[in-house]
Amino acid sequence: MKRNRIRRFFQQKQYAIASLVLFAAIAGMTGIYVSNKITDERREEEMALREAELSEAAQREREELAAREQQEANPFTDMTKDTQEDTASVSSIIKPGSQTGEEVPGQDENSSSTQNPEDTEVKSGEQSGQENAGQNELNEQKNQDSQKKQTEQPAKEQKTKDTAAKAKASLHFSPESDLGWPLQGDVILNYSMDQTIYFATLEQYKYNPALIIAGKVNDPVNAAATGKITDISTNEETGVTVTMDLGDGYSAVYGQLKEVLYKEGATVEAGNAIGYIAEPTKYYSVEGSNLYFELLKDGEPVNPMQYIQ
């Protein structure tokens, strides 16, 4: 009978008991979580404090090491300071005597008393005259140098202008005979300014002011005619590009180059190498490596094929 009562009691109260057990479990887990969190926070604080201490210790060690290195690099710094202090103290001892006219050990007692005032005035007058004469000579020399510079400057400018005019006048281009092939290769794109032609890389038709001559990378490019280099630049389409003045209003442009052998202002004889063929730019990736060769007359492109011999 008693067992039945206990059984019925547990059957009636089983939800309450389960809830109580669940609540106790939750409370226990919460307590464990809070305890672990507090422990972790303490550990983090201890680790942060330890890292700060280590950082301070490392900083002190670095400062001490830097001080030792400076001391080793300048071992005579302290000695120099001591020497300067000793010199200053000695100077302070000597200067008052010299300023007040007191006798200095080892000085001749009769040297100041036996000096003749008239001799002193004569010597002073001679020194003053010598100084004035020297100053006059210096001023005269400066005036002469200034006049010489003023005379030479226009002469130099005129000489520079004459040299430039002679250099420009020495350039002569004959359309009938002076233009040769800058590179031996097939012309893959002809000069065409009267109608558009197809550019495979660009996949479009456009005018072409130059000859596009096929060549291999590292092939030498020669001067098609004697000329003076007026510009070396790089642009997106033709890469490294050299412009040469040929004289009589003509100029030549060489593009897609590398390793240019001359500088701006240099005169290059016909047939001499200017540079070498480079990898093609992205504008000619389908056409392949090539030489961009353009001939200009008074700044306007002309057909090089009408001039090449």
Side-chain angles (χ1 to χ4, degrees), residues 147-280:
Q147 292 176 358
K148 187 176 180 181
K149 288 181 180 178
Q150 292 176 359
T151 304
E152 292 177 351
Q153 186 67 23
K156 287 182 179 179
E157 293 179 356
Q158 185 62 36
K159 186 176 180 181
T160 303
K161 291 180 181 179
D162 294 342
T163 303
K166 288 180 180 179
K168 190 170 183 179
S170 64
L171 292 174
H172 175 69
F173 179 77
S174 173
E176 292 77 17
S177 60
D178 283 349
L179 193 67
W181 284 97
L183 178 71
Q184 295 299 321
D186 297 331
V187 177
I188 55 180
L189 287 173
N190 270 307
Y191 168 93
S192 181
M193 292 299 289
D194 54 351
Q195 63 180 1
T196 59
I197 59 175
Y198 185 71
F199 282 72
T201 301
L202 302 177
E203 297 182 352
Q204 65 179 10
Y205 286 87
K206 56 178 289 190
Y207 294 103
N208 184 28
L211 292 180
I212 309 301
I213 306 172
K216 296 179 181 180
V217 176
N218 296 323
D219 280 352
V221 176
N222 301 323
T226 300
K228 180 180 180 181
I229 296 177
T230 57
D231 182 69
I232 301 175
S233 58
T234 303
N235 65 64
E236 190 178 26
E237 182 176 356
T238 58
V240 176
T241 304
V242 175
T243 302
M244 293 178 61
D245 179 17
L246 307 181
D248 300 309
Y250 288 90
S251 57
V253 179
Y254 306 82
Q256 306 277 8
L257 300 180
K258 68 174 183 178
E259 299 176 13
V260 177
L261 302 175
Y262 297 90
K263 296 181 179 180
E264 290 185 16
T267 299
V268 184
E269 297 292 330
N272 288 351
I274 302 171
Y276 302 90
I277 296 293
E279 295 288 344

Side-chain angles (χ1 to χ4, degrees), residues 114-135:
T114 57
Q115 187 173 2
N116 192 347
E118 295 180 356
D119 295 338
T120 303
E121 292 178 358
V122 172
K123 290 181 180 179
S124 299
E126 292 176 355
Q127 291 177 356
S128 177
Q130 292 176 356
E131 290 177 357
N132 292 332
Q135 185 66 32

